[in-house]
Amino acid sequence: MVVLTGVDKHFGDLHVLQGIDLTVSRGEVVVVIGPSGSGKSTLCRTINRLETIDSGTITIDGAPLPEEGRELARLRADVGMVFQSFNLFAHKTVLENVTLGPIKAKGTKPAQAREQAMALLERVGVANQADKLPAQLSGGQQQRVAIARALAMSPKVMLFDEPTSALDPEMINEVLDVMVSLAREGMTMIVVTHEMGFARKAAHRVVFMDGGQIVEEATPETFFTAPRSDRARDFLSKIL
Ligand code: ADP
Ligand code: MG
């Protein structure tokens, strides 16, 4: 579903992604973990082309990432993204946040978009907040709306970039629970998170990044109990 081959990216002198090879199969859940500054967010942002790459290739469901225009809009629909900061439209209601994309980008009829949005809001447990503005919701509720908004585009893959790290502790699980159920329903997911509970419950594979490289890949069980590299051991000793 997602294939990166030899992906390189620089920010000026900084070689932020160094020959990244990564294949994520349909229905696979990959957790990306690694120290701050290792390139995890940049990796996510290249996959939906918020960032360009210098060399290498990225394909989504067999198709190379488009350069621009109409094709790029379709890519953005195929690749849903949920960020650390919820990024909801502040002056639109919860329901409007979820219907806007399908109406504008996919030409869905408003009535149908609303019906689908309510079903998604139901699924993430915030249907009763549909007419409120984002600021009237808790952080955990807002992040669940952000997930519903991404799902409304019927993406082929969902990217999550530290979706719970801006949340108060008591709200983390309500967001992770939604992500676990999404994983169990077979969504292809790339999740940057240090939440080991999520990795253990839902991930098929953990990818450890350091210094712009994928240093190690393993099952969650193996990675957390018996990391192979010194860099992974050192990182885990700091977060555990
Ligand atoms: P992570 O998500 O693993 O913390 P990032 O991908 O955000 O890492 O950043 C990797 C490195 O690239 C960091 O050193 C960061 O400062 C740098 N970086 C990220 N975005 C930019 C940018 N737009 N311009 C210049 N440097 C950037
Ligand atoms: Mg980051």
Side-chain angles (χ1 to χ4, degrees):
M1 182 57 79
V2 182
V3 181
L4 285 81
T5 314
V7 169
D8 274 290
K9 165 86 185 164
H10 295 77
F11 287 120
D13 289 340
L14 178 68
H15 197 177
V16 60
L17 298 178
Q18 306 181 8
I20 299 287
D21 295 315
L22 178 66
T23 299
V24 181
S25 305
R26 192 181 301 274
E28 193 180 14
V29 179
V30 172
V31 159
V32 180
I33 193 167
S36 177
S38 57
K40 307 179 299 294
S41 293
T42 305
L43 178 73
C44 286
R45 292 167 59 81
T46 61
I47 294 173
N48 71 349
R49 216 181 161 290
L50 290 171
E51 298 282 358
T52 56
I53 59 176
D54 301 332
S55 56
T57 58
I58 302 178
T59 61
I60 307 290
D61 202 13
L65 288 200
E67 288 298 315
E68 55 195 8
R70 199 183 274 276
E71 291 295 301
L72 191 55
R74 209 190 54 215
L75 168 80
R76 295 270 158 74
D78 283 348
V79 182
M81 181 132 180
V82 176
F83 301 88
Q84 178 176 339
S85 51
F86 327 122
N87 295 95
L88 296 173
F89 305 117
H91 303 289
K92 306 267 180 208
T93 66
V94 163
L95 182 64
E96 287 165 344
N97 264 277
V98 182
T99 56
L100 212 63
I103 292 170
K104 294 250 152 133
K106 298 193 122 180
T108 306
K109 297 262 187 301
Q112 194 192 346
R114 277 196 295 274
E115 194 177 315
Q116 287 168 351
M118 284 310 297
L120 286 168
L121 290 172
E122 190 76 52
R123 183 164 154 195
V124 301
V126 290
N128 55 349
Q129 312 291 322
D131 297 324
K132 293 192 180 161
L133 291 172
Q136 296 173 285
L137 272 58
S138 73
Q141 289 172 325
Q142 289 186 54
Q143 196 58 308
R144 287 182 283 147
V145 174
I147 294 171
R149 182 175 64 172
L151 291 175
M153 299 296 280
S154 310
K156 291 178 175 173
V157 51
M158 286 280 287
L159 308 177
F160 294 85
D161 189 4
E162 304 207 30
T164 60
S165 48
L167 295 176
D168 291 334
E170 74 272 19
M171 295 171 187
I172 291 176
N173 280 331
E174 65 193 47
V175 172
L176 292 178
D177 287 348
V178 168
M179 293 167 58
V180 169
S181 65
L182 202 55
R184 299 217 164 120
E185 288 160 26
M187 177 60 79
T188 307
M189 294 165 64
I190 298 175
V191 184
V192 178
T193 185
H194 294 167
E195 293 290 338
M196 270 179 303
F198 173 81
R200 283 218 158 91
K201 256 189 241 169
H204 299 104
R205 188 156 43 116
V206 172
V207 166
F208 173 68
M209 279 185 81
D210 193 18
Q213 298 170 334
I214 292 178
V215 174
E216 185 162 341
E217 293 186 55
T219 62
E221 181 60 22
T222 303
F223 181 77
F224 292 119
T225 56
R228 286 189 309 275
S229 63
D230 289 343
R231 287 200 270 181
R233 263 194 298 277
D234 180 52
F235 173 73
L236 287 171
S237 74
K238 286 175 184 144
I239 66 161
L240 292 182

